[in-house]
Amino acid sequence: MSLKDQFGKDVLLTGWGHSRFGKLTEETLESLIVQVATEAIGNAGIEPGQIDEVYLGQFNSGMMPLAFPSSLALQVSEQLANVPSTRVENACASGSAAFQQGTKSLLAGTAKTVLVIGAEKMTQAGADVVGAALLGADYDMAGKPSTTGFTGLFAEVAKHYEKRYGAVSDALGTIAAKNHRNGVDNPYAQLRKDLGEKFCRTVSDKNPMVADPLRRTDCSPVSDGAAAVVLSVAPTGGATAPVRLAGFGQANDFFPAERRDPTAFAATRASWQRALDMAGVGLEDLDFAEVHDCFTIAELLMYEVMGLTEPGQGARAIEEGWVFKDGKFPVNVSGGLKAKGHPVGATGVSQHVIAAMQLTGTAGDMQLAAPRRAAVQNMGGVGIANYVSVLEAV
């Protein structure tokens, strides 16, 4: 069974757009939204007036003064006047939350064509503002002072993991090196430099410890950027073949840390299973995945959560080369959040766009050899809001 079997209609990604990620001082939130929305609509081969609804994923949480950006996409064209447009927020999973809201509009029959945008401007805010904003996504630390911010929260996850299963510092360094190497081939990536395993594994002046055991190379950067995708119930005659959404899943975990096993990421696991079940596939049916590596420990845990390895054995996937670009199950060929960048509201939509490019053979230097099916995993907080999509070539 697939999404189409269950709901009796297709959900297709028919066009997409993607900005460069990084410190984009020359861009505004509005210019980024207009850029990617215009690109996605053109790529889909439709007119702006054919858009029935707009969903915008954005976290913000005080990182910029404009807190009501839902109508910015209407700046694309006069044809978008009066089109319903809604901002969707679910921490760092805001982009995928917007994607699923758009999907549900199509499945409900209230729209036939939806524009989904993810966008964030972060770099204009000071480090203290960004840190406080991101900590707003944690039940225990929201509003409290912290010298390590969200890095400290994932460092605690890493400490619990090492206490339970043993040291993983070298494995995390290899994950960082892999994603930096992949980012070199991604024209949208913020960090396009192959740093090598030795550098990523070693604490140094240029790679200091941020929150033990996480080094700077274990952390995704602060970023600006945007991405957009057009969702439709039928092909639109766009620039490429469409990509089908075969299944999706969402799951939320309890917010207080004391109610969660720190290394299980139980709700993340549930979102994976729901997406795979809806698509009627197993992990062995996927060709690659784009996962939420806000910190390298998160990617290591995703190897286990998705079922690539048993709990405590995630290091095998990187040490034995399974997740490299030429491995049996490539993960984060885009460079992931680690190298591509993490403009938080944009991340989930970006992941879908990159996967769609792979499945249509339009990923350029990132391109894998004829992939047919992929997964996208995006989360907010420490495994709190979780989204997974299964995409397939048509």
Side-chain angles (χ1 to χ4, degrees):
M1 177 168 290
S2 67
L3 180 151
K4 186 175 182 180
D5 297 325
Q6 185 170 338
F7 295 99
K9 63 176 70 175
D10 256 329
V11 173
L12 300 175
L13 288 70
T14 53
W16 42 83
H18 202 297
S19 79
R20 185 169 59 88
F21 281 6
K23 187 174 183 178
L24 308 180
T25 56
E26 72 282 7
E27 300 286 357
T28 64
L29 183 67
E30 179 179 337
S31 68
L32 287 167
I33 288 171
V34 169
Q35 174 195 333
V36 297
T38 301
E39 186 179 346
I41 292 168
N43 185 251
I46 62 174
E47 294 297 322
Q50 293 174 258
I51 300 293
D52 299 314
E53 290 186 42
V54 177
Y55 287 96
L56 170 66
Q58 187 217 23
F59 180 46
N60 192 357
S61 192
M63 289 185 287
M64 64 175 300
L66 180 64
F68 183 45
S70 54
S71 283
L72 289 179
L74 275 56
Q75 300 293 85
V76 169
S77 170
E78 291 290 333
Q79 295 180 39
L80 289 172
N82 303 321
V83 170
S85 186
T86 305
R87 175 188 174 226
V88 179
E89 188 280 311
N90 221 356
C92 296
S94 296
S96 286
F99 181 90
Q100 283 201 15
Q101 289 304 115
T103 294
K104 291 172 182 177
S105 287
L106 297 185
L107 296 178
T110 57
K112 293 183 178 179
T113 306
V114 173
L115 174 63
V116 177
I117 305 165
E120 207 76 64
K121 275 286 289 181
M122 302 173 70
T123 64
Q124 77 290 334
D128 56 337
V129 174
V130 173
L134 296 178
L135 281 177
D138 185 75
Y139 179 89
D140 301 289
M141 289 301 298
K144 297 179 180 178
S146 172
T147 58
T148 56
F150 233 82
T151 308
L153 300 179
F154 273 88
E156 287 302 309
V157 172
K159 288 177 183 176
H160 282 290
Y161 188 96
E162 292 193 325
K163 184 176 181 180
R164 187 173 294 181
Y165 299 118
V168 291
S169 180
D170 282 353
L172 299 185
T174 304
I175 290 171
K178 168 184 72 74
N179 290 349
H180 275 286
R181 190 177 306 121
N182 288 346
V184 172
D185 294 330
N186 184 351
Y188 306 119
Q190 180 171 355
L191 304 174
R192 301 186 68 188
K193 186 175 182 180
D194 185 353
L195 298 178
E197 283 192 41
K198 183 178 180 180
F199 181 85
C200 292
R201 287 181 168 190
T202 306
V203 176
S204 65
D205 289 343
K206 292 186 177 180
N207 189 26
M209 189 71 74
V210 179
D212 191 23
L214 301 182
R215 299 148 296 216
R216 179 178 291 165
T217 50
D218 292 307
C219 310
S220 58
V222 173
S223 316
D224 305 327
V229 62
V230 173
L231 301 178
S232 309
V233 294
T236 57
T240 69
V243 170
R244 176 177 289 114
L245 177 64
F248 62 90
Q250 179 190 356
N252 274 54
D253 212 334
F254 295 108
F255 211 2
E258 64 183 17
R259 300 198 64 184
R260 291 178 273 118
D261 182 318
T263 66
F265 280 60
T268 317
R269 187 180 297 272
S271 65
W272 271 96
Q273 197 57 54
R274 289 170 183 172
L276 293 172
D277 286 349
M278 184 184 289
V281 301
L283 191 69
E284 68 278 4
D285 298 307
L286 304 179
D287 295 308
F288 70 95
E290 288 288 321
V291 308
H292 193 99
D293 63 320
C294 49
F295 302 93
T296 52
I297 184 63
E299 179 168 329
L300 181 79
L301 281 162
M302 286 312 108
Y303 303 158
E304 302 176 11
V305 166
M306 74 172 79
L308 192 59
T309 76
E310 293 297 317
Q313 298 181 23
R316 284 190 63 200
I318 188 73
E319 290 169 353
E320 298 182 19
W322 304 353
V323 292
F324 284 85
K325 188 173 182 179
D326 58 355
K328 68 178 184 179
F329 190 71
V331 173
N332 285 338
V333 175
S334 68
L337 286 58
K338 173 79 266 293
K340 182 180 61 176
H342 183 28
V344 290
T347 286
V349 181
S350 167
Q351 291 173 311
H352 285 84
V353 169
I354 295 293
M357 292 170 66
Q358 287 284 356
L359 293 170
T360 54
T362 58
D365 290 340
M366 293 183 283
Q367 187 65 51
L368 295 167
R372 299 294 301 167
R373 190 177 289 116
V376 165
Q377 178 265 329
N378 185 204
M379 69 181 173
V382 186
I384 303 299
N386 302 275
Y387 297 83
V388 175
S389 298
V390 176
L391 306 178
E392 61 186 22
V394 175

